[in-house]
Amino acid sequence: NAGVTQTPKFRILKIGQSMTLQCTQDMNHNYMYWYRQDPGMGLKLIYYSVGAGITDKGEVPNGYNVSRSTTEDFPLRLELAAPSQTSVYFCASSYAQYAETQYFGPGTRLLVL
Amino acid sequence: QQQVKQSPQSLIVQKGGISIINCAYENTAFDYFPWYQQFPGKGPALLIAIRPDVSEKKEGRFTISFNKSAKQFSLHIMDSQPGDSATYFCAARGNTGGFKTIFGAGTRLFVKA
């Protein structure tokens, strides 16, 4: 199993550009999450999904959108990139909402200039 | 707002010493308290976890101490090794409202050889 994979690993965006961060898991997990990690701030939940076709906002959803058309994929969309979105983005998955372990991908480092 | 406060922000320990990281929470609606370990360039990975009905859990050199009345829990790393150098996140999972996991800000541990 590859676990949770994310692409790209690193990206530089100009202000106002858009992009999609890709996330795929091969563990047949129903629950998937997007976090952002800022220095000294821990991990903040952006969006999560409880299954294909179902998504919900987390703690910091503004400026982002998600979709979940399959169990495996959970892309995160940035429509109008802003410097405040410079961060490291992690995708994670778990077997169930009450599952105790979240499995994280390697992260995408995004720089918005 | 639910919060998990983590300290210290950074920690330097001699090889063979004890590393201690502390966390405190403000909400009683948490039912699971994991610690995640993150190496540079990698995603967080579950290290050890505890439930609130247990005061201590030990796995190898890693021990969680939990004080339910004080709403505090801590990670102790005995005989710290250079390979333990990483960022450690405490977290708390809610038992209602989506079972979301709230992460502490992280502690960067450096173990000197």
Side-chain angles (χ1 to χ4, degrees), chain B residues 13-19 77-82 111-112:
Chain B
V13 174
Q14 286 289 136
K15 178 182 177 181
I18 302 174
S19 303
I77 305 175
M78 312 299 288
D79 187 26
S80 299
Q81 299 296 313
V111 181
K112 296 172 64 176

Side-chain angles (χ1 to χ4, degrees), chain B residues 16-90:
Chain B
I18 302 174
S19 303
I20 301 175
I21 304 171
N22 300 300
C23 285
Y25 60 99
E26 300 178 348
N27 192 312
T28 57
F30 292 131
D31 67 351
Y32 178 69
F33 299 87
W35 285 87
Y36 282 81
Q37 181 187 54
Q38 183 182 29
F39 293 105
K42 304 293 185 182
L46 180 67
L47 178 65
I48 187 173
I50 197 168
R51 294 186 179 279
D53 55 348
V54 176
S55 62
E56 184 176 282
K57 183 174 182 180
K58 183 176 181 179
E59 291 184 0
R61 296 184 293 108
F62 300 91
T63 299
I64 300 177
S65 297
F66 188 86
N67 187 328
K68 188 175 182 178
S69 61
K71 297 181 185 178
Q72 295 176 347
F73 58 111
S74 60
L75 175 69
H76 295 234
I77 305 175
M78 312 299 288
D79 187 26
S80 299
Q81 299 296 313
D84 297 330
S85 297
T87 298
Y88 293 82
F89 294 96
C90 64

Side-chain angles (χ1 to χ4, degrees), chain A residues 34-47:
Chain A
W34 273 107
Y35 294 90
R36 59 176 289 171
Q37 182 180 30
D38 300 306
M41 298 295 290
L43 294 154
K44 302 293 185 183
L45 183 64
I46 304 171
Y47 271 95

Side-chain angles (χ1 to χ4, degrees), chain A residues 33-105:
Chain A
Y33 315 83
W34 273 107
Y35 294 90
R36 59 176 289 171
Q37 182 180 30
D38 300 306
M41 298 295 290
L43 294 154
K44 302 293 185 183
L45 183 64
I46 304 171
Y47 271 95
Y48 67 101
S49 170
V50 303
I54 306 172
T55 63
D56 204 352
K57 296 178 181 179
E59 188 179 356
V60 289
N62 292 343
Y64 307 94
N65 279 300
V66 294
S67 59
R68 184 95 181 271
S69 58
T70 66
T71 299
E72 295 78 19
D73 300 309
F74 189 39
L76 178 71
R77 179 80 175 167
L78 283 72
E79 291 294 348
L80 294 170
S84 62
Q85 293 178 306
T86 292
S87 187
V88 181
Y89 292 84
F90 289 99
C91 179
S93 71
S94 64
Y95 175 69
Q97 194 172 26
Y98 51 81
E100 298 178 341
T101 303
Q102 291 189 21
Y103 296 87
F104 285 82

Side-chain angles (χ1 to χ4, degrees), chain A residues 2-60:
Chain A
V4 180
T5 58
Q6 293 182 238
T7 58
K9 290 185 179 180
F10 176 67
R11 181 77 181 268
I12 299 175
L13 279 183
K14 294 182 179 179
I15 296 173
Q17 286 186 321
S18 62
M19 78 164 293
T20 299
L21 282 66
Q22 301 293 342
C23 175
T24 299
Q25 54 90 10
D26 63 357
M27 297 174 282
N28 200 31
H29 286 172
N30 287 318
Y31 293 83
M32 297 187 73
Y33 315 83
W34 273 107
Y35 294 90
R36 59 176 289 171
Q37 182 180 30
D38 300 306
M41 298 295 290
L43 294 154
K44 302 293 185 183
L45 183 64
I46 304 171
Y47 271 95
Y48 67 101
S49 170
V50 303
I54 306 172
T55 63
D56 204 352
K57 296 178 181 179
E59 188 179 356
V60 289

